[in-house]
Structures are given as C-alpha cells and as structure tokens.
Amino acid sequence: MANFVERKPFNIMGMFDGLEDYLNTGDPVVREWFLVKSNFWPIFLCSMYLLTIMVIGPSFMRDRKPFELRNTMIVYNLFLVATYFTCVSIVIYGMTKTDPMDLCKNTVVRPNHVTYVMASCGWVIYMLKYIEFLDTIFFVLRKKDKLITNLHVIHHALLPLCGWIFFRTERSGFQAFPIIINSIIHIVMYSYYGLAAMGPNVRKYLWWKRYLTIAQMVQFVLIIFFVSVVMPLAGCSAAKTSVYINIVVAALFFVMFYNFYRTSFTPQKKQADVCEKSNGAAKTENGHQNGYTNGDAITNGQSKVKCN
C-alpha cells in the first residue's frame, strides 16, 4: 500500500497569532502606550495619509486657489524644531545618567526612573512622525504638487510604522542612538523649512540645502555602521526586527536621497534650471525673447550656457 504523507492544512490565522505574539515581545510598559498598543490605528492613519494626499486633497483643491500658509508653516516648523531639540536634549542627558551597557541589554522601563523619561521622549518623537503628515498636506493645499516626490511620500508613510514596530518589539535601549542621529538631522531640516517659509528675503541665505542633503545621507551610513558594527562589537542585544528595519530602511533612503542629490545638484541639473528659468522669464511683452538666440543664453554678447 502506498505510503501517504500527512498534510497539515494551511492555517492563516495561526500566522497572525504568531505575529501578534511577536508584537507583544517589547517592554510591557511601553507597548501599552497610545498608538503603540493598537494594531489598527497606526496602519489606518498611514493609509489615510496616502488617501488624503493622493485622492481627497487633490480633489478638494481642484477648483480652488492655493492657500497662503506662510505663518502657519513658520509656527509648525518652529514647533517641530523645539520639540525635537527638547527630546534629544533629555535623551542625551538621560544617557549620561545611565550605564551604557544597561541601554544595550534588555532595559527595563520603570516609572519614576530615567529610563521611563527617555522612553517617553522616544514616544514623543514617534508621535511627531504622524504630525509630520502635515508636510505633504501643506504641499497639497498650496498646490505644490511637484514637491510631492516618491521619496517624500515613502518617508512619511513608512516611518510611523517602523516606530510602531520598534515600540512593540524592542526591549533594548540601543535604539536611542539612531533616534538621536535622526532627530538632529530633523532639527536642521525643519530649521531650514521654517527659514524658507519666511520668504525671499531669508530664502536667499539658504545656500546650504545641498549640504543638508549630504547630511541626510551621512546619517544613514552612521546608522547602518552603528547597527551592523558598533552594536555587535559592544555585545548589545536587540530585537531582530529593529536591526533589519534600521539596515533596510537606512539603505533604501540612502539610495533615494543619493538619487535626489544627483538629480538636484549636479552641473547638468543646474544648467537645466538656468535654461528653464531663462526661457520662461526673459520674454518681453511682445513675446520675443530678450537676450536669447536659438536657446543660447547671452550675457554681454557672450554665450554662457547652452540650452537644448
């Protein structure tokens, strides 16, 4: 008689049970916090963000003029800078009061203890990732659709979910180091945005956007180096999901920011910008171009930039 191999039915609910169990492996105090405990709201809010900027927002603005949000954006960016700075300062101060080896092992978060204060600051930074949905919503309301890039959308939609997984699964305080690095970059970034919102009189001094993009890429290299080299050599323990997310997300964003840098700050891009501005802005009232012949920009009779 032929031997039959016993086949077990595929249990999809069993997979979700296992996932639920794993999502409850983090610190028992932290994983009970708002927008950490729920399995629904983080995913729902990120989904609503995508729906709002792709469907609801553009539909709402279709027949409307762009909103003037300068003052709102100045206050918004100032709030983010102040909050990030406060949280980073408290976390760094807490690290000076804590044995570093205690942070890279299974740290126990206890009320009325420095670890609770540090974890709370991490949670506030996690909350900021939802507030930062307004970055894109402001673009939609101002009809700045060209600024809503794949990099921008993926960044805002993905990071809240990463933070949610961190808080649900991580027991080690090692994540404080990548959080500090990322938060410092956000302090500089939102300072730039806040100054840019003040108008042309201030915007002309913001020549350092290129270096801000470089700093973005450097942070991802530092995070990968810390997670893959420093942490193992120091003997730190961490949830596998934290390690994987840090490496994969940092590598993904490094590639995307590098592509943004290459397309935004290379000589070819600058030449294209000059041509686009000159071809559009140098027209006289009768429709003839003033100072341009066959696409060549002329300055004092000299051909300076070749425009195709």
Side-chain angles (χ1 to χ4, degrees):
M1 182 179 293
N3 294 326
F4 292 95
V5 178
E6 181 181 359
R7 297 177 180 269
K8 295 183 178 180
F10 179 69
N11 187 357
I12 190 169
M13 295 308 297
M15 291 177 58
F16 284 106
D17 289 342
L19 179 61
E20 176 67 22
D21 291 341
Y22 183 73
L23 287 174
N24 288 326
T25 57
D27 187 273
V29 173
V30 173
R31 68 174 186 248
E32 293 295 317
W33 289 350
F34 177 66
L35 285 186
V36 175
K37 180 178 180 179
S38 173
N39 294 335
F40 169 77
W41 285 109
I43 298 174
F44 174 77
L45 291 175
C46 290
S47 300
M48 285 302 301
Y49 161 73
L50 294 174
L51 182 64
T52 299
I53 66 171
M54 293 181 178
V55 180
I56 299 175
S59 177
F60 175 77
M61 292 300 299
R62 183 174 296 117
D63 300 320
R64 288 178 170 85
K65 295 181 179 180
F67 285 88
E68 175 58 54
L69 301 173
R70 175 176 297 182
N71 292 334
T72 301
M73 292 173 61
I74 292 174
V75 173
Y76 166 75
N77 286 291
L78 179 63
F79 164 76
L80 290 175
V81 170
T83 307
Y84 271 115
F85 181 82
T86 301
C87 290
V88 169
S89 300
I90 293 174
V91 171
I92 293 176
Y93 175 78
M95 292 174 68
T96 64
K97 300 298 182 181
T98 307
D99 185 347
M101 294 308 297
D102 288 341
L103 292 178
C104 73
K105 296 295 183 181
N106 286 337
T107 307
V108 179
V109 176
R110 303 188 303 274
N112 302 320
H113 189 264
V114 66
T115 54
Y116 189 91
V117 176
M118 294 172 66
S120 298
C121 287
W123 175 82
V124 171
I125 292 174
Y126 165 59
M127 290 293 100
L128 291 181
K129 302 307 176 186
Y130 294 98
I131 295 174
E132 289 169 18
F133 287 166
L134 289 173
D135 285 8
T136 323
I137 294 174
F138 288 154
F139 286 155
V140 173
L141 294 178
R142 296 166 61 218
K143 290 194 172 182
K144 300 288 185 179
D145 296 339
K146 291 183 178 180
L147 299 177
I148 306 176
T149 62
N150 290 333
L151 169 59
H152 180 91
V153 173
I154 292 173
H155 172 269
H156 285 294
L158 186 60
L159 288 188
L161 296 178
C162 293
W164 172 62
I165 295 173
F166 284 148
F167 278 104
R168 287 292 294 268
T169 63
E170 186 58 77
R171 300 182 71 97
S172 171
F174 96 99
Q175 190 61 30
F177 293 94
I179 286 176
I180 289 173
I181 295 172
N182 181 258
S183 296
I184 291 174
I185 294 297
H186 276 72
I187 291 171
V188 179
M189 182 180 72
Y190 283 109
S191 296
Y192 176 91
Y193 291 157
L195 292 171
M198 294 180 182
N201 292 333
V202 175
R203 201 174 297 142
K204 61 184 178 181
Y205 298 107
L206 301 179
W207 49 265
W208 40 277
K209 180 179 180 181
R210 172 180 182 178
Y211 300 99
L212 175 57
T213 306
I214 293 174
Q216 292 273 18
M217 293 186 287
V218 170
Q219 74 156 323
F220 300 127
V221 174
L222 292 176
I223 290 173
I224 293 174
F225 178 76
F226 177 82
V227 172
S228 60
V229 178
V230 175
M231 192 184 70
L233 290 179
C236 293
S237 61
K240 290 183 178 180
T241 47
S242 297
V243 176
Y244 294 154
I245 288 175
N246 272 296
I247 293 176
V248 172
V249 171
L252 170 65
F253 284 137
F254 177 85
V255 172
M256 298 184 75
F257 269 97
Y258 174 75
N259 183 63
F260 170 78
Y261 179 87
R262 183 174 57 84
T263 57
S264 299
F265 301 107
T266 57
Q268 293 84 355
K269 174 60 178 175
K270 291 181 179 179
Q271 175 177 321
D273 289 342
V274 170
C275 295
E276 181 179 352
K277 291 180 181 179
S278 60
N279 288 330
K283 291 185 177 181
T284 60
E285 292 181 1
N286 61 4
H288 291 86
Q289 291 185 346
N290 185 13
Y292 292 85
T293 304
N294 296 326
D296 292 341
I298 306 297
T299 305
N300 295 328
Q302 300 289 330
S303 177
K304 297 297 184 182
V305 180
K306 179 67 176 179
C307 301
N308 295 323

